[in-house]
Amino acid sequence: MEPKDTISKTDTPLYVLAENRELGDLQLMDKETLDWIKVNSGYTQDVPRIPEVAFTENDIATLIEFLPADEEFLRHDHINALHGISHVSRTMVNMIAVCKRLGIEDYKPYLFMMRLHDLRRENDKGDTGHGLRAWEYFVANRNAYSYEFLNSAEYLEQLEVTVTYHETNYEDIPSEVLAKHQRVIDIVKAADALDRYRMPKARWFPNPEFMALQEAHALLPLAKRLTIESEELVLNGQDIRTAVINTAKKVYS
Ligand SMILES: [Fe+2]
Ligand SMILES: [Fe+2]
């Protein structure tokens, strides 16, 4: 049985609900909140390009190939919400950019980490344990995915720790896990955090101080454009995946 939502879509903008600590389980972007985010995040389209992260047609084709289907999400009624397909798709765009910054050419294994990371969310709140549930979902559905890299035991170990601990503060991640896997955990946390400009509270926007991966900091202005401009297209009626793909092409041109 699916959990019952608390306050769902109401006439009150998300940023007001956040201010009043009244955010519900289901959080859907609204125009007032997006306008509020633009003002409070210092949004501008006038952002310097970073040539080294420019996307090729091949990058866009790979992104499209790796986007999750609606059926992969636990809550089909949450696909349009703050941790639904728009967020997951953008974290994958962010991951391509991060990998380019790091000189990682074969980024497909990293894209798969982002595809998986929020698939088992039950709600748009903290939802402790959704990372572990996502890993367990993968294990139970291993045969649905045929990517070559999934045959590597070393990769599967990275997939397990990044998906499981993507939501966990560093001080709560087991020290032996961090000792072995901190770099890849940093990478996944960065790609995830770069999409925090959709959050309805300024304190929750991405903060470089908490982004261990230094190389990702320069991507913040581009990530802000990606989040805000794709959300705007969706509010104007564009299909979510199409909106993210179109915005990625524009921002990472
Ligand atoms: Fe998450
Ligand atoms: Fe996420």
Side-chain angles (χ1 to χ4, degrees):
M1 197 177 72
E2 294 206 325
K4 193 162 169 34
D5 290 326
T6 55
I7 306 168
S8 61
K9 192 179 184 185
T10 68
D11 291 337
T12 311
L14 282 183
Y15 80 93
V16 176
L17 291 174
E19 184 67 37
N20 298 336
R21 296 171 179 266
E22 289 174 351
L23 284 169
D25 287 346
L26 175 64
Q27 297 167 22
L28 300 166
M29 184 57 75
D30 56 82
K31 185 176 182 319
E32 291 80 2
T33 298
L34 193 60
D35 288 343
W36 176 90
I37 289 172
K38 281 183 180 175
V39 171
N40 286 276
S41 69
Y43 164 74
T44 171
Q45 281 200 338
D46 188 15
V47 166
R49 290 180 63 250
I50 305 180
E52 74 197 69
V53 299
F55 282 25
T56 63
E57 279 181 26
N58 203 30
D59 293 324
I60 296 294
T62 305
L63 170 68
I64 292 170
E65 180 197 338
F66 274 80
L67 291 177
D70 286 357
E71 294 69 36
E72 291 174 72
F73 286 85
L74 174 67
R75 297 286 310 265
H76 293 186
D77 53 343
H78 279 212
I79 283 170
N80 301 342
L82 240 52
H83 295 85
I85 184 66
S86 64
H87 166 63
V88 170
S89 305
R90 284 189 303 255
T91 65
M92 293 169 71
V93 174
N94 295 337
M95 181 55 93
I96 296 177
V98 165
C99 286
K100 283 176 180 280
R101 286 278 291 167
L102 297 175
I104 298 170
E105 283 177 21
D106 181 15
Y107 54 71
K108 290 180 178 179
Y110 293 86
L111 278 191
F112 193 72
M113 293 167 182
M114 302 325 293
R115 170 174 175 166
L116 218 57
H117 85 285
D118 275 344
L119 286 183
R120 294 293 100 176
R121 269 188 167 272
E122 290 175 350
N123 59 62
D124 288 308
K125 294 175 160 180
D127 198 5
T128 305
H130 69 274
L132 178 60
R133 289 199 304 272
W135 166 249
E136 290 169 347
Y137 164 80
F138 167 75
V139 171
N141 294 277
R142 166 73 183 81
N143 293 335
Y145 304 100
S146 55
Y147 303 113
E148 185 68 35
F149 55 77
L150 293 174
N151 297 323
S152 154
E154 192 185 346
Y155 173 71
L156 288 178
E157 192 177 323
Q158 289 186 345
L159 185 64
E160 175 176 6
V161 299
T162 52
V163 170
T164 301
Y165 296 114
H166 83 267
E167 59 169 304
T168 310
N169 292 332
Y170 283 99
E171 58 269 27
D172 297 323
I173 299 176
S175 52
E176 64 275 17
V177 171
L178 271 187
K180 191 169 177 190
H181 297 293
Q182 174 153 7
R183 181 70 171 170
V184 68
I185 290 173
D186 289 349
I187 291 172
V188 166
K189 278 177 170 286
D192 197 15
L194 283 167
D195 193 40
R196 293 185 67 89
Y197 287 111
R198 74 199 191 285
M199 292 294 171
K201 198 177 249 191
R203 202 156 48 81
W204 299 339
F205 291 161
N207 183 344
E209 262 181 61
F210 301 120
M211 219 185 271
L213 191 77
Q214 303 295 312
E215 294 90 335
H217 296 182
L219 297 171
L220 280 163
L222 294 166
K224 188 193 296 180
R225 282 195 63 189
L226 179 74
T227 303
I228 291 174
E229 291 172 31
S230 61
E231 287 294 331
E232 188 146 58
L233 290 177
V234 172
L235 285 174
N236 290 336
Q238 197 162 107
D239 162 77
I240 298 176
R241 290 176 181 79
T242 310
V244 173
I245 293 161
N246 286 341
T247 312
K249 284 180 185 168
K250 197 162 118 188
V251 170
Y252 287 103
S253 59

